[in-house]
Amino acid sequence: KKINLPLIYNLLEDKPEQRLPVKDQALTYINMTPLQRENQNKITSLAKNSTEGKLDMGNLFRALAYSLDNALSPYLLSGQPEDYKEFVENSPKIAYVMECIASVKHYHNKRGESISGQVIYMNRGKQYFPLIKEYLEEELGFKRGVSFAKSKVDEVEIISSDINDTRKETVKEDF
């Protein structure tokens, strides 16, 4: 998979977004794991079979959803990781995000600055959010139970439909 982030935003000046010149753009290619490749071959076969003869839109859309799941993590399709480390290490996109967060944390720590806030948005795999949180805490050193003006929160918090509105507001206010 290819990740290309060519847009920049100038928030200090009221200017519209601009494209970075091609020479300044960074392309990142994220390779599938062997398990993801095996899954993707099966998904591709399902998609091809859905278009041979009578079009089977149900299986075609199913193949699309499976492909998106597989691209994020093979565990969204089948199996269970032993722990948070296995989940991240076998999910290349998630591992890449963890590396990016580690580099931002290192950058700020080296300069003695507060770490800038970051948001990871995932519209699938909600059951694995706690493993990502655990990875960030155990491997990257984000803290639990940090005191803020009104409450205690972790430096990594999960906002999902599983938490109530009061907790969402607490997290929002403290971040």
Side-chain angles (χ1 to χ4, degrees):
K1 298 289 176 192
K2 173 180 144 182
I3 297 177
N4 187 2
L5 306 172
L7 295 180
I8 58 171
Y9 301 89
N10 189 338
L11 299 176
L12 299 176
E13 300 173 25
D14 195 22
K15 291 184 179 177
E17 59 192 45
Q18 328 168 28
R19 283 207 174 266
L20 280 172
V22 174
K23 66 179 180 57
D24 295 332
Q25 293 180 20
L27 294 179
T28 301
Y29 294 91
I30 300 175
N31 294 318
M32 290 184 185
T33 64
L35 177 57
Q36 284 176 306
R37 173 59 54 209
E38 181 183 322
N39 289 343
Q40 197 60 40
N41 289 340
K42 292 175 187 173
I43 294 164
T44 301
S45 178
L46 173 64
K48 282 181 183 174
N49 291 339
S50 302
T51 59
E52 291 174 357
K54 185 179 177 204
L55 185 62
D56 184 347
M57 291 302 290
N59 273 341
L60 193 57
F61 283 121
R62 209 168 283 112
L64 174 62
Y66 292 161
S67 186
L68 292 171
D69 287 347
N70 188 49
L72 182 61
S73 173
Y75 297 111
L76 272 65
L77 290 180
S78 66
Q80 285 292 339
E82 284 186 31
D83 58 18
Y84 68 88
K85 221 172 181 177
E86 183 180 65
F87 176 74
V88 170
E89 289 171 356
N90 289 313
S91 306
K93 281 187 174 183
I94 295 170
Y96 177 77
V97 170
M98 298 301 106
E99 290 169 18
C100 291
I101 291 170
S103 72
V104 169
K105 187 175 192 290
H106 175 74
Y107 174 88
H108 288 297
N109 285 342
K110 197 165 88 174
R111 287 163 180 70
E113 302 170 348
S114 296
I115 300 166
S116 56
Q118 297 170 69
V119 174
I120 302 170
Y121 173 79
M122 291 174 31
N123 64 349
R124 52 191 3 99
K126 183 172 88 170
Q127 68 273 30
Y128 295 108
F129 290 4
L131 294 179
I132 294 170
K133 180 181 190 313
E134 187 176 2
Y135 185 93
L136 288 165
E137 292 170 343
E138 299 298 327
E139 301 302 316
L140 301 186
F142 285 93
K143 297 178 184 88
R144 297 178 184 107
V146 177
S147 293
F148 286 94
K150 298 178 185 176
S151 60
K152 274 190 171 187
V153 294
D154 297 343
E155 286 184 331
V156 177
E157 287 286 349
I158 297 170
I159 297 179
S160 72
S161 60
D162 292 342
I163 67 172
N164 64 40
D165 290 342
T166 303
R167 181 69 181 154
K168 281 181 193 174
E169 283 303 311
T170 299
V171 170
K172 187 175 89 174
E173 291 297 319
D174 287 339
F175 280 85

